[in-house]
Amino acid sequence: MHAAIRTQEMNPAKLTSLFRKQFELCKVSPGQTVAIVSDLGTRREYIQAAFAAADEMGFDIYEMCVNMIPGWTKVGVPTIGKCKGTLDALMKCDMIMIFHVPLFAKWLREVQQAGVRVQMIIDAPDDLEQLQSPPGLKEAVVHAGKVYDAARNIRVTSPHGTDLSYSRGEYPVMIQYGMADEPGRFDHWGVGLIHTFPNEGSARGKVVIMPGDVVILPYCRYVADPIHLDIENGHVVSIEGGTDAALMREWLKRGEEFEGDKDPYAISHLGWGLNPQCRWDSIALYGDAPERSRAASRCFPGNFLFSTGPNSQGGGKRTTRGHYDVPMRECTIELDGKVVVERGRLVDPKMIVPEAKRG
C-alpha cells in the first residue's frame, strides 16, 4: 500500500508540541526571529504548528512562500534570491525553517556564513515524531565527526565485492544530528549522520550495490538486482547489472549538461548513519513515498552512504543535478586501518546511541 494513503499514526494535535520541542532543541528563544521558507507544496499544518509554538515560546516568526514546488530530485535549485529582498531578509533573521531541500544552492552558503542557522523539514508527521533527535545523538555524531576528520585514508569493503578506497582532507567533514542549534548550522530534522567529500580524483576501486540496499535519491526503492560499479580517478567509469543498473545509468546520463560531462559520475559525499530511530525497513513498513523515506532510510546506524554528483556544499565546484544517494548495508569502513563500522554495525561505543521508545 502506498504511504500516501496509509493512516497517519501520530495524533495531529501533537504537532504544536512537537514543533515547540524542535525549536527548543534549536535554542530558539524570546527576542529571536525565525523565517519560514515554504513552497506551494508545504503542509499547511506544519506552518500552523510552527506559528502556534512561536506564540507559546514568545519569539517572532513569519513565512516566506516561494512560487514553486521544488522537487526532491532537483538539488541545487535556487529558490531564494531571484525575488528582490528575499535573501536580504533571510540574512537578518536568527533561524530559517525551510520545507524543501536547499542543499548545493549558493544562497544557503551565504546565510550560513552570516551566522544564520537553517533547519530543514521534509519528512512526514510520523517521522518527525519518531526520528526527532534522541538524547545522546548529538554527542555521538560530534564524536564520529572528529574521528572521521582525523582520518586521511579510508577503505570500504563488503562480503559482496565492494572494495573502495579514497583519501580525504581537501573538504570538511559535515555532521548532522537533527537540530540547527549553533550559529551558521544547517541540519535536517530526523537525521543523524556524518559525511565528507573525497579528495578530487582519489576514489578508486569497486562498489557492489546489493539487493536490499536503498536508492534514496532519486527513486526511493530497494535495489532488486546487483549493481557493479568500477571507479577510477574519482569517477564511476562503468555501471553493470540489470534493471537497477539501467536506472542508474539513465538518471546520471540525464544529469549530463554537455557531451562528455563527467560531473554526474563523480563520487560525492561518503559517510555513515548513526540515528537509532531510523530503520532500514522503513520503505517496507510505510511505503515508498519520499516524505516517509528521506531521513528514515538514509540514516539507519551503520549504513555506508554512497553517492555521486555535486560537491559544492563542501566547497567544491561541482553543481550537477546528476545526484545519486545509496545507503548500503553490510559494509565495513576502515579509517587509516581502524575499523569503525563492521559489516553494517557500529563498533565504537561512543557512536552507539540507545533507541528512544516513542508513540
Side-chain angles (χ1 to χ4, degrees):
M1 185 182 293
H2 194 280
I5 58 174
R6 290 182 183 226
T7 303
Q8 180 176 311
E9 296 179 1
M10 191 193 79
N11 183 341
K14 295 173 66 175
L15 268 179
T16 296
S17 61
L18 204 59
F19 271 75
R20 175 168 183 153
K21 181 179 179 181
Q22 190 66 24
F23 282 130
E24 290 170 347
L25 289 172
C26 293
K27 300 180 180 178
V28 180
S29 59
Q32 294 189 356
T33 297
V34 172
I36 287 179
V37 177
S38 61
D39 57 72
L40 299 178
T42 300
R43 287 174 175 259
R44 293 312 302 172
E45 63 267 33
Y46 283 179
I47 309 302
Q48 294 160 357
F51 282 0
D55 284 344
E56 291 180 359
M57 297 176 67
F59 61 85
D60 297 319
I61 191 168
Y62 68 91
E63 179 184 8
M64 181 187 296
C65 182
V66 300
N67 185 23
M68 62 176 68
I69 303 180
W72 165 238
T73 59
K74 297 177 181 178
V75 297
V77 177
T79 56
I80 294 297
K82 289 185 178 180
C83 292
K84 296 176 182 178
T86 53
L87 181 57
D88 295 334
L90 295 182
M91 295 281 278
K92 295 179 180 179
C93 68
D94 296 287
M95 189 178 88
I96 297 167
M97 179 169 274
I98 187 165
F99 290 90
H100 50 260
V101 181
L103 294 172
F104 303 105
K106 181 181 178 182
W107 74 265
L108 175 61
R109 296 191 297 276
E110 292 181 11
V111 297
Q112 288 183 270
Q113 290 167 2
V116 179
R117 51 200 195 274
V118 182
Q119 178 69 72
M120 182 174 73
I121 304 173
I122 55 172
D123 294 271
D126 286 341
D127 296 301
L128 297 187
E129 179 182 40
Q130 291 297 324
L131 309 183
Q132 195 168 44
S133 188
L137 180 60
K138 176 179 178 177
E139 292 77 11
V141 170
V142 169
H143 169 70
K146 291 178 179 178
V147 172
Y148 203 10
D149 190 50
R152 288 297 174 265
N153 297 294
I154 295 88
R155 185 184 182 196
V156 181
T157 58
S158 81
H160 312 295
T162 290
D163 194 344
L164 172 70
S165 297
Y166 59 96
S167 57
R168 65 148 309 275
E170 190 173 341
Y171 300 109
V173 171
M174 309 180 84
I175 65 173
Q176 294 181 21
Y177 43 77
M179 48 189 168
D181 60 344
E182 299 173 358
R185 176 166 186 75
F186 168 88
D187 219 313
H188 173 185
W189 183 343
V191 302
L193 76 157
I194 66 170
H195 64 77
T196 191
F197 300 89
N199 292 351
E200 296 292 349
S202 70
R204 62 193 182 279
K206 294 182 179 295
V207 169
V208 182
I209 300 170
M210 289 296 292
D213 292 339
V214 185
V215 178
I216 194 61
L217 195 156
Y219 299 120
C220 288
R221 58 171 279 155
Y222 292 116
V223 171
D225 45 39
I227 308 172
H228 294 263
L229 307 178
D230 288 327
I231 298 168
E232 299 175 2
N233 300 316
H235 290 77
V236 176
V237 296
S238 72
I239 305 171
E240 300 297 333
T243 300
D244 283 287
L247 286 169
M248 186 174 188
R249 286 195 300 268
E250 177 73 12
W251 178 258
L252 297 183
K253 179 66 176 178
R254 286 181 173 273
E256 296 178 15
E257 296 185 2
F258 54 86
E259 187 68 29
D261 184 8
K262 295 175 60 178
D263 282 0
Y265 306 92
I267 303 304
S268 185
H269 56 77
L270 303 173
W272 63 90
L274 295 106
N275 189 348
Q277 307 302 119
C278 296
R279 305 177 56 137
W280 162 72
D281 61 355
S282 63
I283 291 177
L285 282 170
Y286 307 122
D288 60 0
E291 195 183 37
R292 294 308 310 266
S293 307
R294 290 163 176 156
S297 296
R298 180 185 300 275
C299 301
F300 60 90
N303 85 75
F304 172 61
L305 181 57
F306 173 80
S307 72
T308 73
N311 66 352
S312 57
Q313 193 62 29
K317 297 179 179 179
R318 294 195 308 273
T319 58
T320 177
R321 296 183 185 179
H323 194 35
Y324 216 81
D325 273 9
V326 187
M328 298 172 58
R329 301 185 304 146
E330 299 183 342
C331 290
T332 295
I333 304 173
E334 299 176 46
L335 307 182
D336 292 332
K338 181 178 180 180
V339 174
V340 293
V341 176
E342 185 171 15
R343 294 197 66 169
R345 296 289 182 267
L346 298 167
V347 298
D348 184 337
K350 291 184 179 180
M351 296 184 195
I352 300 172
V353 182
E355 180 183 356
K357 300 301 180 182
R358 296 169 176 163

